[in-house]
Amino acid sequence: MLAGLISIDRSSAVPLPEQVYRALREAIGAGRLAAGARLPSSRALAAALGISRNSVNAAYELLVAEGIVTVRGGSVPKVSAAAGTLSEGEAPAIALRAVALSARGRAMSSDPWSRTERRRGGKLEPGTPSLDRFPADDWARTLRRVTRRLRGDVLSYGETRGLPELRRELAAYLTAERGVRATPERILVTPSTQASLTLLASSLADPGEAAWLEDPGYLGARAAFTAAGLDIVPMPVDAEGADPRRVADRRPPRLIYVTPSHQYPFGTRMSLARRAMVLEAARACGGVVLEDDYDSEFLFSGRPLAAMQGLGAEGEVIYLGTFSKSMLPGLRVAYMVVPEHLAAPLAVAQRVSGMLANVTTQAALAEFIASGRYRAHLRRVQQTCEARGRDLASALRQRLGDAADVPEPVGGVQLALRFTAAVDDLAVAAQVNAAGFSVAALSPYGIDCGLSGLVIGFAGAQEGEAQACAEAVAGAVAGAIAGPVKRHA
């Protein structure tokens, strides 16, 4: 009676009915039980296996539901004729076919950061905030309070564009601090800036249209636009920021992506004259400027220039922001301020694509901003980042001397240094990261600029890490240029 076909394992986490069902299904599929074969009654099989009749009945019911077994009143179960597609004794021959990614899937699955030699989780990783300064206890208390208060449709699908309380606080904050023309109705809350860019690229541009990007620039923007099938056009960057006059490919851009407050990765601020040029370039062809204001809160001296969104005409600029640098990347909350006429259709596209942010986290952020604790947190983190940034820059200059141009950080959470000699920055980054760091080679951030250097995070630097990193970089560079590195006194 089904000898050797069913083996019961009472120590398994799989329920007994499921074990019987799986064993019979496998035997039928493999042809060991042919179509029309009679199966034992539930009573007989239960006695043979030493389990309850209810367990066998439950297994038979699953097989009947799938059409694998038939049961007629007064007769024993039989293997369905539809299940017996193979001749007796023949093993099933299942042709396995590898499902290939589409062209878009290949573009989306290409990781641009992997080409920088950066290693996730290492020390001094670019883009990582001051995790040790996060107010964990205060945040936990805030989460508990807002979770108890949340009610109604916000816990379902009623506010997919963002919690109203957070959108109101963001509108007030951005208007006061960044000069953004913001109303709650124009704000969409997303899980990340990367999600915002992906949504905008697929919603505002068609495959084959041009997108101007800073060169060098943010790899996430390049990845989002490439995945959307857009043609990437480099926009050279100098000390004043992106220069639209030096764009070689003059095709009208559908999108122009810039980081004017703190250029990524160089950290320079775009001059007012350049901002006007970028706006004019978009205006001339009906394009849209995507202003990524990813870390404008971390300016170490003076006040940042007002956001481009407030300088341009209505509808010319979409403003992007995130809490990843000011709070934690793991909060998974970012936002964008969009033109009024695009708010409703983009909100639908956001819901269709599933790019929705956690409601509880949004509620906690709204309270954090309203209470003033967010601004206080920013002041503390700003002081930490400034001290750590200056320590790293000083250590790098001391160790590298004339071998690299190391800027003084004016804000942000990372710095980009440029080698003055011909150095393979990929090899240098790989050697430095072998010592436990997570620096990134600068060259992959460029499109046509041909720069060599490193991008190094400093916001999370612990005691001694800046000095250790500088020594590792100096050693790697010395080996790369086959000579000693001149050091400053």
Side-chain angles (χ1 to χ4, degrees), residues 207-223:
E209 291 191 296
W212 290 8
L213 265 69
E214 296 170 325
D215 184 21
Y218 178 50
L219 291 174
R222 196 193 310 179

Side-chain angles (χ1 to χ4, degrees), residues 82-263:
T85 58
L86 302 173
S87 61
E88 186 175 354
E90 183 180 358
I94 302 174
L96 298 178
R97 180 174 60 87
V99 178
L101 290 171
S102 65
R104 177 174 295 177
R106 290 193 296 274
M108 293 180 68
S109 62
S110 177
D111 181 2
W113 292 276
S114 65
R115 297 190 287 273
T116 67
E117 295 294 337
R118 164 180 164 182
R119 298 182 182 182
R120 290 290 182 188
K123 294 174 290 188
L124 306 190
E125 183 175 2
T128 301
S130 302
L131 301 180
D132 59 326
R133 292 294 184 262
F134 181 71
D137 292 340
D138 193 6
W139 181 253
R141 289 190 293 269
T142 304
L143 279 174
R144 286 194 293 271
R145 282 195 302 272
V146 300
T147 300
R148 289 193 293 266
R149 293 199 301 261
L150 286 174
R151 296 288 186 277
D153 207 21
V154 297
L155 295 174
S156 181
Y157 296 101
E159 298 293 344
T160 55
R161 69 171 62 190
L163 198 66
E165 297 94 311
L166 179 58
R167 289 189 282 123
R168 285 195 296 270
E169 292 299 332
L170 280 173
Y173 176 81
L174 294 173
T175 300
E177 297 293 331
R178 301 295 297 119
V180 175
R181 292 192 298 269
T183 62
E185 295 75 24
R186 296 175 58 180
I187 294 176
L188 301 181
V189 180
T190 68
S192 64
T193 295
Q194 193 65 32
S196 298
L197 290 169
T198 299
L199 179 64
L200 294 171
S202 58
S203 301
L204 300 181
D206 291 318
E209 291 191 296
W212 290 8
L213 265 69
E214 296 170 325
D215 184 21
Y218 178 50
L219 291 174
R222 196 193 310 179
F225 298 159
T226 299
L230 308 186
D231 289 343
I232 306 300
V233 176
M235 187 166 47
V237 171
D238 58 24
E240 290 189 64
D243 189 349
R245 298 168 302 179
R246 294 168 57 197
V247 174
D249 184 345
R250 301 307 300 183
R251 278 181 301 160
R254 181 61 178 163
L255 303 175
I256 302 178
Y257 172 85
V258 289
T259 52
S261 296
H262 194 235
Q263 200 275 332

